[in-house]
Amino acid sequence: MSGTLVLVRHGQSEWNLKNLFTGWRDVDLTELGHAEAKEAGAKLKARGLKFDIAFTSSLIRAQKTCQHILDAVGQSDLETIRDQALNERDYGDLSGLNKDDARKKWGEEQVHVWRRSYDVPPPGGESLKDTGARVWPYYLHDLQPHVLRGGTVLVAAHGNSLRALIMALDGKSGEEIVKLELGTGVPVIYKLNADSTVASKEVLEN
């Protein structure tokens, strides 16, 4: 028996647009972000997908993306579990700062290391490795059982929390995963075998 796991990064947020480090700051979607989330739902509806359960983070941009998708597939009232384990990476002292201003303060090279290394956290924040340390156990204990029973599971979350999942699912190294860019509102569909291995993967690009 195989199950389906659908991962979607939230639509464009207000701080994505302003080029600010967001992390755990709870900012809303932009008009484009709402449109991207609705478009993701339309694509999944066109595939005939129906979900058994949905998971999202404790942050509003992911929650609204999740709801737009469920509305589009005709499952507005589907059971949806919210948990901060799926939150974006915590950027600590960088949160709320313009990325260009951060480069002026700490230097281009240091900010690049914080953004693009696997295991070096910014001051007061998380590295991608730290993010994975909370995301992966949550996946194993709370999400994966639904998929392995043959269910279809939606996860609407964030660029880095989803990178952490994809790293494990695809067997990528830390160096490989930090180079992966996830588009806002772009569904990634995994088919998993009963032994939890990946049978297929498809990215529904715009």
Side-chain angles (χ1 to χ4, degrees):
M1 181 183 294
S2 64
T4 302
L5 177 67
V6 177
L7 309 179
V8 185
R9 181 186 175 193
H10 63 79
Q12 184 193 62
S13 76
E14 293 170 347
W15 282 16
N16 291 149
L17 181 62
K18 294 177 181 178
N19 200 33
L20 305 179
F21 286 101
T22 312
W24 283 40
R25 299 289 181 88
D26 206 9
V27 301
D28 208 340
L29 297 175
T30 61
E31 186 175 339
L32 174 60
H34 286 287
E36 287 175 334
K38 291 173 183 177
E39 177 64 19
K43 288 177 182 176
L44 295 169
K45 180 182 180 182
R47 293 300 178 94
L49 281 170
K50 289 288 186 181
F51 298 103
D52 295 293
I53 192 168
F55 291 85
T56 189
S57 76
S58 66
L59 302 171
I60 196 70
R61 58 192 185 274
Q63 293 173 10
K64 287 190 175 180
T65 297
C66 186
Q67 193 59 53
H68 281 315
I69 292 170
L70 294 178
D71 291 345
V73 299
Q75 293 185 281
S76 299
D77 297 328
L78 185 72
E79 179 185 2
T80 300
I81 297 174
R82 301 172 177 178
D83 199 290
Q84 67 180 24
L86 294 174
N87 277 16
E88 176 59 294
R89 172 185 172 190
D90 183 354
Y91 279 102
D93 292 353
L94 300 182
S95 299
L97 292 180
N98 182 282
K99 292 172 184 176
D100 292 331
D101 291 341
R103 293 185 187 100
K104 290 175 185 174
K105 181 174 181 178
W106 284 288
E108 178 115 16
E109 185 175 342
Q110 181 61 72
V111 173
H112 180 76
V113 168
W114 287 333
R115 292 189 68 197
R116 292 304 179 193
S117 67
Y118 174 61
D119 56 2
V120 180
E126 295 178 308
S127 65
L128 182 55
K129 182 179 180 180
D130 296 329
T131 306
R134 59 176 162 83
V135 171
W136 188 240
Y138 183 71
Y139 169 77
L140 288 175
H141 293 114
D142 292 77
L143 280 76
Q144 189 184 70
H146 295 279
V147 183
L148 298 187
R149 288 196 294 267
T152 300
V153 176
L154 171 64
V155 181
H158 305 266
N160 285 299
S161 54
L162 293 179
R163 271 198 190 100
L165 268 184
I166 289 170
M167 178 181 177
L169 290 167
D170 291 2
K172 290 184 179 294
S173 68
E175 185 175 300
E176 289 172 324
I177 200 63
V178 294
K179 296 175 182 175
L180 175 68
E181 293 293 338
L182 289 176
T184 49
V186 176
V188 181
I189 303 173
Y190 283 92
K191 293 283 188 181
L192 297 186
N193 297 314
D195 62 359
S196 80
T197 57
V198 175
S200 67
K201 176 185 177 182
E202 183 180 10
V203 181
L204 302 186
E205 296 283 6
N206 295 328

